[in-house]
Amino acid sequence: MAWGFETDPEFQAELDWVDAFVRDEVQPVDLLIGNARDLRDPLRAELIPPLQQKVRERGLWACHLGPELGGPGYGQLKLALMHEILGRSPAAPVVFGCQSPDSGNAEVLARFGTDDLKKRYLEPLVDGRIVSAFSMTEPQGGSDPTGFTTRAALDGDEWVINGEKWFSSHARFASFLIVLAVTDPDAAPHRRQSMFVVPADTPGITNVRNVAVAGQADADGAHAYLRYDDVRIPADHLLGERGQGFAVAQTRLGGGRIHHAMRTVGLVREAFDMMCERALSRVTKGEQLARKQLVQAMIADSWIEIEQFRLLVLRTAWRIDQYNDYSRVRADIAAVKATMPKVLHDVAARAVQIHGSLGISNEMPFGAWVLESFQMGLADGATEVHKTNLARTLLAGYAPADGLFPSGHLPARRAAARERFAARIERAVHAG
Ligand SMILES: Cc1cc2nc3c(=O)[nH]c(=O)nc-3n(C[C@H](O)[C@H](O)[C@H](O)COP(=O)(O)OP(=O)(O)OC[C@H]3O[C@@H](n4cnc5c(N)ncnc54)[C@H](O)[C@@H]3O)c2cc1C
């Protein structure tokens, strides 16, 4: 009963294959390699490509892409069911060619890149031969992109970029960066910036340091603090129109956010499965933990929260398929994005609790997942910003009440109903 959601039998066969493949072949690799995205790691080079080959042979490589880019074009609803499985394993998105930030960067290049840019950057990226990074956040401001100060100025047939970017994930091993920079400082705030492809080996780019997140060793720092000093790139490395950087960024973040949420469903389910197994295995005061009502409440709350989240994700995926336009589902994606860290946090925290001291130890993954929930509440936009955007969209569908009292005020509604049915009320009174 637990997670049933039927799809067509042919696709179900693919999901069954993915499920067994991830469990039997990919999850063991997670335990051996640090970062499946780092192409320079010799152990990764041994273990990941053979798995990627199996995925290619099965026809499941880069499933987020439409047929024009070599993907099967499944649509978001089917992708959601597949990503739920991939979410159990950090390496699985890489094995299936749909890892972030590359998947979002590929979407941007596919939509806004020239033929030459597609050949140079998109093809090897989609093929898994190179890695990319997204360089938007700055040290002095993340949530409010109108405060970004990195500049790009046109000099002949080159753009010259100057400024600093913060938390550019995976930049330390990326071949190129997608960079947002101010090109038109005097334009309206949302038309000041433009998006660029910047080859990572361009002179003038300095990696000040790689920043690690809480719970990680400094040496594993994945988020680069980058300085751009007179970084010169060809004029045709502009993505989309000049001044349209925010619109280009939205293309990328929409897909990235929903795919991340789909995978998070799989991750929280892992925590849930382990929680249930533990509740049935551990005996205290002569009975299983599973028989304690407070433990049962934790299990019931977790299942309800996971399924609520999952249905929100699936419905949003369905709406993306209906409209094929992220701007029409921005509020749905904001709701998903705001829910995701809370579900992971709450379920992983209960898993810690039910596992006791073992649960908080480094011998179980729950502590890392609780910390990951804090990353989720920031990456791709802080929860508060998404909630604000959602509320703004929802409120746009309402109008202020006429007069002193709200439209739901019972005395006024009752008076209107009395007036409407006055004749019948009169008849009923006389009949009585
Ligand atoms: C794991 C991880 C990976 C990331 N990867 C990348 C990447 O690859 N590329 C990239 O460019 N960036 C990346 N980021 C940065 C991310 O986009 C920013 O963290 C995010 O936009 C928030 O910006 P900030 O961290 O500067 O927080 P701030 O903007 O300083 O906000 C701090 C807090 O202020 C509050 N706040 C802010 N605005 C509002 C508001 N409008 N209403 C109410 N409260 C508000 C929120 O509580 C927020 O958490 C990553 C971040 C993380 C954690």
Side-chain angles (χ1 to χ4, degrees):
M1 105 94 178
W3 313 111
F5 193 94
E6 284 178 16
T7 181
D8 63 71
E10 273 169 39
F11 189 64
Q12 187 58 51
E14 297 307 315
L15 292 178
D16 293 344
W17 183 86
V18 174
D19 186 56
F21 178 70
V22 168
R23 187 182 51 249
D24 298 339
E25 303 203 39
V26 186
Q27 287 187 286
V29 168
D30 285 325
L31 303 171
L32 301 175
I33 55 173
N35 189 337
R37 289 167 174 76
D38 189 349
L39 299 176
R40 303 163 312 173
D41 176 353
L43 185 56
R44 184 239 180 247
E46 278 296 321
L47 296 174
I48 295 287
L51 297 174
Q52 291 175 322
Q53 189 51 31
K54 287 188 182 174
V55 170
R56 282 193 169 95
E57 284 163 11
R58 185 80 194 184
L60 293 172
W61 178 256
C63 277
H64 59 294
L65 299 175
E68 70 287 357
L69 285 171
Y74 279 139
Q76 301 298 326
L77 190 55
K78 284 185 169 172
L79 272 184
L81 298 174
M82 192 172 141
H83 274 286
E84 285 178 3
I85 303 170
L86 305 190
R88 302 200 306 249
S89 153
V94 176
V95 169
F96 282 76
C98 56
Q99 72 283 1
S100 67
D102 299 331
S103 56
N105 289 345
E107 269 184 79
V108 167
L109 280 167
R111 206 154 150 191
F112 300 104
T114 60
D115 286 347
D116 184 47
L117 291 180
K118 285 181 189 162
K119 199 156 187 51
R120 283 176 65 184
Y121 302 109
L122 180 61
E123 284 180 15
L125 185 67
V126 168
D127 215 24
R129 284 182 277 129
I130 60 171
V131 169
S132 65
F134 185 61
S135 199
M136 176 167 156
T137 304
E138 300 192 354
Q140 82 288 349
S143 298
D144 178 10
T146 61
F148 293 168
T149 57
T150 296
R151 287 287 307 269
L154 201 52
D155 180 23
D157 56 2
E158 288 181 325
W159 288 99
V160 186
I161 303 179
N162 279 286
E164 290 190 341
K165 293 287 179 183
W166 168 251
F167 253 71
S168 300
S169 304
H170 314 306
R172 67 180 173 166
F173 46 75
S175 293
F176 69 88
L177 307 131
I178 303 277
V179 180
L180 187 72
V182 177
T183 47
D184 300 87
D186 300 325
H190 285 85
R191 294 181 177 271
R192 284 181 194 157
Q193 305 194 45
S194 305
M195 200 70 92
F196 299 92
V197 189
V198 180
D201 58 1
T202 312
I205 302 177
T206 308
N207 187 334
V208 180
R209 61 178 181 271
N210 291 305
V211 181
V213 291
Q216 266 182 355
D218 283 347
D220 295 330
H223 311 290
Y225 178 13
L226 298 177
R227 187 168 297 140
Y228 296 80
D229 287 313
D230 286 333
V231 173
R232 289 182 167 268
I233 52 166
D236 70 354
H237 279 40
L238 171 71
L239 290 167
E241 285 175 33
R242 180 174 174 157
Q244 295 295 314
F246 281 13
V248 176
Q250 282 310 320
T251 315
R252 185 193 173 285
L253 291 171
R257 285 168 184 152
I258 191 72
H259 294 157
H260 201 172
M262 293 165 179
R263 290 194 289 267
T264 302
V265 171
L267 185 61
V268 283
R269 237 185 233 172
E270 283 281 278
F272 181 82
D273 289 347
M274 291 192 228
M275 190 193 288
C276 291
E277 184 196 65
R278 173 72 168 185
L280 289 167
S281 315
R282 189 75 162 179
V283 172
T284 183
K285 291 222 170 193
E287 65 178 3
Q288 288 171 328
L289 280 184
R291 296 184 66 84
K292 312 272 181 206
Q293 288 185 342
L294 289 175
V295 171
Q296 290 172 354
M298 286 198 251
I299 286 167
D301 285 343
S302 298
W303 190 87
I304 291 166
E305 287 163 19
I306 296 169
E307 279 299 274
Q308 285 173 334
F309 172 53
R310 185 192 189 209
L311 291 175
L312 185 62
V313 172
L314 290 173
R315 179 179 154 283
T316 303
W318 175 81
R319 277 170 62 81
I320 297 171
D321 286 343
Q322 297 303 303
Y323 300 126
N324 197 21
D325 175 3
Y326 282 116
S327 66
R328 292 189 65 180
V329 289
R330 208 172 280 158
D332 305 70
I333 292 177
V336 165
K337 175 68 179 67
T339 312
M340 179 166 79
K342 182 161 168 39
V343 175
L344 177 60
H345 175 274
D346 290 359
V347 176
R350 290 187 197 113
V352 168
Q353 196 68 15
I354 288 181
H355 283 77
S357 51
L358 178 65
I360 196 65
S361 75
N362 277 345
E363 296 180 6
M364 298 303 284
F366 310 125
W369 291 347
V370 170
L371 285 174
E372 192 175 335
S373 75
F374 288 96
Q375 295 184 42
M376 275 184 190
L378 293 167
D380 289 344
T383 300
E384 291 79 358
V385 175
H386 287 289
K387 284 189 179 175
T388 306
N389 290 340
L390 171 63
R392 225 185 278 136
T393 307
L394 296 173
L395 287 167
Y398 292 84
D402 279 337
L404 200 54
F405 293 103
S407 57
H409 190 226
L410 291 174
R413 287 170 64 197
R414 214 170 274 129
R418 264 199 219 104
E419 199 178 312
R420 181 171 166 198
F421 297 113
R424 293 194 213 171
I425 293 169
E426 184 76 3
R427 273 205 302 276
V429 169
H430 287 304

